[in-house]
Amino acid sequence: MTGIDRAMLLEQARLDRQAIPQFDPGIDIDEAYRVQTRLVEQRLAGGDRVIGMKMGFTSRAKMVQMGVSDMIWGRLTRDMQVDDGDRVDVSRFIHPRAEPEIAFLLRKPLAGRVTAIEALDAVAAVAPAIEIIDSRFRSFRFSLTDVVADNCSSAAFVIGPWAPPSIDLSNLGMIFSVDGRPSHCASSAALLGHPARSLVAAARLVESHGALGGELAAGSVVLAGAATAAVALVPGQDISLEVERLGMVSFSVG
Ligand code: 0L1
Ligand code: MG
C-alpha cells in the first residue's frame, strides 16, 4: 500500500466515522510523517488551513496510557478549533477523548535549535487548552508510526483566555474536571519538566522535518501535549480545565 493509499484510508475513516485496523506491514517514522502530510493536504484541498502544531506524548502519563515512548507532532487546522464554552457534537467522531493541555501563541517565527528562553521570547500569550483526540484506528490501538500518520489522533481543540507570556509556567496546578468534579490533576511540570521544553522540541522538529515551511510562523498556535491521561467523551458531559494563574477553558459534549 502506498503512502497516498494510507492517507486516503485515514481520511475516509474520519469522514465515515469508522475506525480501521492498524497498518500491516508497519511503516517507518519518515514515511509516517509523509502520510500525515498527505492526510492533511486532503483537508487543505477542501479549504482548511494549518494554524499550528500539536505536540504529543510529552508527559509520562500519556506515554504510559498509550504504551509509547517517543514524542510526536501533528498539524492543527482552523476547522479543528472549537470556541471556548461551545457544545461539541461528538457524533462527528468515532470514540473521542479529551485531554488537558497548555497552548502557546507565537508573536514571531521559531525554528531549529533554540533554548527555552529563546522559545519563550517568541511567545505572545499562553492559555489553558483542551485537545479532543479521536484515533482513526480501532480501539485506540496503534504503533507510534500509525499514530503519527493519523495526525497524532488530533480531532479538535479548545483554547481558553490568552494570558501574558510572563507568567511562570514551571509548576502550575491543572485540574481537569468532568461535570464539575476533578477527574485528573497535574502540574504543568508534567510536560517535560516545563511546557517551554515542548515548544523547544516543536521548533526543532518542524525544522528537521522541513514541515510547515520549516518554521513555526508568527501567529501559530502550539499545543504542548497532554499533562494527564485522556478522558472518554459521552454526550451530556461538561468538560473543563482550570490552570492556576491562566484560568479556565471548557466545552459541553452534545
Ligand atoms: O497530547 C498528547 O500527548 C496526545 C497524543 C495523541 C495520541 C493519542 O493519545 O491518541
Ligand atoms: Mg494532546
Side-chain angles (χ1 to χ4, degrees):
M1 197 192 302
T2 66
I4 291 176
D5 292 336
R6 288 189 164 97
M8 286 175 68
L9 268 177
L10 284 166
E11 184 60 355
Q12 206 52 51
R14 180 179 79 92
L15 295 171
D16 295 346
R17 301 173 195 109
Q18 278 293 333
I20 57 173
Q22 285 181 244
F23 291 140
D24 183 24
I27 48 178
D28 71 22
I29 193 78
D30 292 334
E31 174 65 359
Y33 278 108
R34 280 194 290 274
V35 173
Q36 183 193 120
T37 303
R38 300 271 173 277
L39 171 68
V40 175
E41 276 171 359
Q42 296 173 82
R43 301 182 195 163
L44 304 188
D48 203 355
R49 189 161 59 85
V50 174
I51 59 166
M53 179 165 172
K54 66 159 277 183
M55 293 296 291
F57 304 139
T58 51
S59 71
R60 188 161 163 68
K62 277 297 299 191
M63 286 187 185
V64 168
Q65 183 184 33
M66 305 315 295
V68 299
S69 56
D70 258 335
M71 269 188 288
I72 55 175
W73 65 271
R75 277 114 165 148
L76 298 176
T77 72
R78 188 194 51 204
D79 288 357
M80 290 163 57
Q81 185 157 10
V82 170
D83 287 340
D84 188 13
D86 261 13
R87 179 175 168 277
V88 177
D89 177 4
V90 283
S91 68
R92 53 190 259 232
F93 303 123
I94 303 168
H95 40 200
R97 299 176 178 180
E99 49 190 27
E101 309 230 357
I102 286 177
F104 294 101
L105 177 67
L106 298 191
R107 67 180 182 89
K108 62 179 187 181
L110 194 61
R113 295 200 172 267
V114 294
T115 63
I117 291 173
E118 287 164 339
L120 286 172
D121 182 54
V123 172
V126 293
I130 302 174
E131 184 182 18
I132 299 176
I133 52 172
D134 189 36
S135 177
R136 271 53 65 165
F137 292 105
R138 206 171 282 160
S139 308
F140 255 95
R141 288 188 171 277
F142 43 67
S143 64
L144 193 74
T145 53
D146 287 338
V147 68
V148 164
D150 186 24
N151 200 26
C152 303
S153 305
S154 216
F157 62 97
V158 193
I159 296 182
W162 290 110
S166 51
I167 293 173
D168 178 0
L169 299 177
S170 59
N171 184 21
L172 300 179
M174 299 174 71
I175 304 174
F176 192 42
S177 299
V178 179
D179 297 334
R181 284 184 293 278
S183 159
H184 291 80
C185 297
S187 158
S188 54
L191 298 165
L192 299 172
H194 191 302
R197 294 211 177 104
S198 183
L199 192 54
V200 167
R204 178 176 49 79
L205 289 167
V206 83
E207 188 185 75
S208 67
H209 289 173
L212 311 184
E215 66 173 21
L216 293 164
S220 298
V221 170
V222 178
L223 290 183
T228 75
V231 168
L233 296 180
V234 288
Q237 288 168 323
D238 286 314
I239 305 291
S240 63
L241 168 67
E242 186 167 4
V243 181
E244 187 183 355
R245 305 197 57 205
L246 298 189
M248 177 102 120
V249 57
S250 66
F251 67 93
S252 60
V253 186

